[in-house]
Amino acid sequence: MSSSKQQSKLQEAKAEVLSLLNVLSDKVDLEKKLGVSYIQLDPIIKKRIPHGENVVSHPSTLGPDIDTHNEETEVELSRSEKIEELRKLEEQVKKCTKCDLCESRTNVVFGVGDPDARLMFVGEAPGYYEDEQGEPFVGKAGQLLTKIIESIGMKRSDVYLANILKCRPPENRNPNTNEIVMCSPHSIKQIEIIRPEIICALGIFAAQTLLDTTESIGELRGKFFEYQKAKLLATYHPAYLLRNPDDKRKVWEDIKKVRDYLREGSA
Ligand code: SF4
């Protein structure tokens, strides 16, 4: 290899290391603000909690529990700090080239909503209209989600909406494993900043990614899980409901559980 090529490879490697250090530094800053005084190895708490009378055990779902009780304080970011952290994160994500979807996207679809939301919906990936407009859930499935939100007496602006993938997969194909692995840290960090009381995972990809499981959405839906300090409930994605309207009743049952938890503060 010629010395100019070696020089250019060296420059690329240096740039990559600097970029990684910047990401790590931002993460440590954020965790300090959140009161985390240790390096968090895995932010996902994968412990299933009882819902109603039944404790259902699915060993494939569960990893070792991470007891953060003595390690995290209850320090919350203020609304303005959340806005600032989300802005910084969005700036990073807009420049992200960690997977091939950066080449075909029109817009990065970061997320939208109340940074202090008690309820956060996490879907799969942007579709055609989301990619065009840079906002999640604006197509037909998004209109249905808006109706679902209004059915429990809330407005779209009361909640926070995001997807696991921030860029649209071509032809709305399913996300692949590499894309999920590369992109999910962005939504995990969004959740860390917003700290909703309930996360509603829409569809199999969001549910499996956040719960770190391979179980089907049929198995996962309608049950409460613990995720960080929030409850997580999975249900069908509104795009699935457009194709399978008979399952709207099941989503209504699930979303009523979310409504009741928000009203009563217990699952
Ligand atoms: S999908 Fe996610 S990981 Fe891939 S380029 Fe977009 S923001 Fe980056």
Side-chain angles (χ1 to χ4, degrees):
M1 192 184 289
S2 69
S3 77
S4 65
K5 275 192 179 164
Q6 276 181 336
Q7 199 66 27
S8 122
K9 286 265 174 214
L10 196 58
Q11 292 294 347
E12 278 176 27
K14 274 185 184 170
E16 180 74 7
V17 170
L18 278 175
S19 155
L20 286 171
L21 283 174
N22 280 339
V23 170
L24 187 59
S25 159
D26 280 351
K27 182 170 170 56
V28 170
D29 281 352
L30 173 64
E31 292 194 343
K32 272 188 195 158
K33 282 186 184 168
L34 291 167
V36 180
S37 56
Y38 64 102
I39 295 180
Q40 203 171 10
L41 295 175
D42 181 353
I44 303 175
I45 300 171
K46 291 168 264 190
K47 178 180 166 193
R48 173 168 280 180
I49 58 159
H51 176 64
E53 296 293 313
N54 303 315
V55 181
V56 191
S57 176
H58 290 253
S60 65
T61 311
L62 310 179
D65 292 348
I66 299 169
D67 182 3
T68 55
H69 186 74
N70 294 323
E71 317 226 47
E72 287 189 37
T73 66
E74 296 299 319
V75 175
E76 281 263 1
L77 295 180
S78 68
R79 184 180 180 84
S80 57
E81 285 170 329
K82 286 182 183 183
I83 290 169
E84 177 57 14
E85 292 300 330
L86 287 170
R87 190 196 60 72
K88 277 169 33 186
L89 181 59
E90 184 170 6
E91 283 305 306
Q92 283 175 19
V93 178
K94 278 182 172 168
K95 291 184 221 146
C96 178
T97 55
K98 283 185 182 157
C99 80
D100 289 346
L101 297 182
C102 67
E103 288 166 17
S104 52
R105 72 188 174 210
T106 310
N107 283 298
V108 167
V109 182
F110 178 70
V112 71
D114 183 352
D116 267 338
R118 297 177 69 201
L119 172 59
M120 177 168 175
F121 288 89
V122 181
E124 176 182 316
Y128 175 83
Y129 294 104
E130 289 77 13
D131 177 59
E132 285 280 299
Q133 297 177 37
E135 184 173 329
F137 297 104
V138 289
K140 279 190 179 160
Q143 289 161 17
L144 180 54
L145 179 61
T146 302
K147 284 187 187 161
I148 292 169
I149 293 166
E150 289 170 355
S151 76
I152 55 170
M154 299 179 88
K155 297 193 295 292
R156 197 175 149 101
S157 56
D158 293 332
V159 305
Y160 196 91
L161 305 170
N163 284 304
I164 294 290
L165 293 195
K166 307 303 185 195
C167 307
R168 180 193 180 212
E171 310 304 321
N172 292 354
R173 64 157 171 75
N174 288 337
N176 66 37
T177 307
N178 179 58
E179 290 156 3
I180 290 173
V181 168
M182 289 296 129
C183 207
S184 54
H186 297 139
S187 29
I188 289 170
K189 198 162 175 183
Q190 272 175 309
I191 295 169
E192 283 177 8
I193 295 168
I194 295 164
R195 285 211 192 183
E197 289 170 46
I198 296 199
I199 300 157
C200 187
L202 297 168
I204 188 164
F205 290 100
Q208 288 187 341
T209 302
L210 294 176
L211 292 171
D212 193 17
T213 179
T214 54
E215 284 189 68
S216 69
I217 187 68
E219 274 294 311
L220 295 169
R221 63 155 279 271
K223 298 169 186 145
F224 281 99
F225 296 82
E226 280 187 359
Y227 180 89
Q228 297 181 5
K229 288 182 179 297
K231 299 290 179 277
L232 186 149
L233 182 136
T235 192
Y236 293 120
H237 193 284
Y240 166 88
L241 288 184
L242 292 173
R243 300 189 300 271
N244 300 275
D246 289 350
D247 279 337
K248 281 184 184 172
R249 185 184 49 78
K250 291 181 184 166
V251 172
W252 171 235
E253 284 165 11
D254 297 341
I255 206 74
K256 274 195 297 182
K257 291 177 187 170
V258 171
R259 177 198 66 190
D260 292 347
Y261 181 86
L262 290 171
R263 277 185 189 163
E264 295 155 22
S266 64

